[in-house]
Amino acid sequence: MNKKLGCALILTCLILIGVGCAQKPVSQSGSNEPNPAKTEVDLGTMNTQVVDVYMADSQVLELEKTEQEIDYKDDSEKYEKTFAALQTNTDSELVSLWEQVELLSIQYAEGTVTLDVHIPAEANLGTSGELLALEALTTTMFQFDEVKSLDILVDGEAVDSLMGHAELEHPIHREP
C-alpha cells in the first residue's frame, strides 16, 4: 500500500513539473502572447536582392557580369554582402580579383561608400589586374543608384595606389 502511495506521489510531482514547464512565458503586459514589436526588432526586416557582380575571365583580360543573391537588413549590410559576393567565385570559368583582400570595414553615408581593406602580398595583381579589380569594384558598387562615390582606404589610409600600379582617386565618383 505504501509503495502504491509513493508511486502515485512521485507520478503526481512529475505531472505537475511537466505542466509547469509546458506553459508559455508570460510577457510584461501580463498575457502569454508573444510581443510582436520585440520579435520584429530582434529579427529585423530582411531584404533579398539579386546583385550584379563583376569577375575577370580566366585570362584576367576582361570582366564578365554574374548575378548573386544577397540577404541584408540595412544599406551598410547590403554593401558588405555585395563586397562579399565580389569575393565569392561561383563560376569556375571566372576569377575573383578581390578574393584574397580582407574587408576591415565598410560604411555608407550621404551617397559615399567607404571601404577599408587590407591587401596581403599574395593579393597584389599586375597593372592590368589592378585596373580590372578597380573596375570590378566600382561597377559592382555603382549599380546602386544611391551610391554616388566610392572611397577605398588601405589599412585605414587614403593611399595613392591600391596595389602600386594605378592611381587611386579619393573618392572615386560615379561617371554621369
Side-chain angles (χ1 to χ4, degrees), residues 121-140:
E122 60 270 8
N124 281 326
L125 305 167
T127 305
S128 61
E130 182 177 346
L131 289 170
L132 272 179
L134 284 170
E135 184 181 345
L137 178 63
T138 55
T139 307
T140 298

Side-chain angles (χ1 to χ4, degrees), residues 12-26:
T12 303
C13 288
L14 289 174
I15 290 173
L16 288 175
I17 290 172
V19 169
C21 290
Q23 288 183 349
K24 292 182 181 176
V26 177

Side-chain angles (χ1 to χ4, degrees), residues 54-60 89 91-97:
Y54 292 84
M55 305 272 175
D57 63 0
S58 59
Q59 283 82 39
V60 190
N89 192 358
D91 185 339
S92 62
E93 300 292 317
L94 301 177
V95 177
S96 169
L97 300 172

Side-chain angles (χ1 to χ4, degrees), residues 140-161:
T140 298
M141 290 298 180
F142 286 151
Q143 73 184 296
F144 304 112
D145 292 335
E146 68 273 13
V147 177
K148 305 299 180 201
S149 60
L150 179 65
D151 199 7
I152 306 166
L153 308 176
V154 178
D155 296 321
E157 296 183 28
V159 295
D160 294 334
S161 177

Side-chain angles (χ1 to χ4, degrees), residues 21-82:
C21 290
Q23 288 183 349
K24 292 182 181 176
V26 177
S27 68
Q28 290 179 347
S29 66
S31 73
N32 59 355
E33 294 299 315
N35 185 344
K38 182 169 175 44
T39 304
E40 188 172 311
V41 169
D42 290 346
L43 297 177
T45 303
M46 289 299 283
N47 298 303
T48 299
Q49 182 174 351
V50 174
V51 294
D52 295 335
V53 178
Y54 292 84
M55 305 272 175
D57 63 0
S58 59
Q59 283 82 39
V60 190
L61 297 174
E62 61 185 19
L63 295 178
E64 293 188 25
K65 179 173 79 169
T66 64
E67 293 181 340
Q68 291 190 35
E69 188 174 288
I70 60 169
D71 295 321
Y72 61 93
K73 292 180 190 174
D74 56 24
D75 281 345
S76 289
E77 189 176 27
K78 173 171 69 171
Y79 308 125
E80 183 177 341
K81 297 283 182 111
T82 301

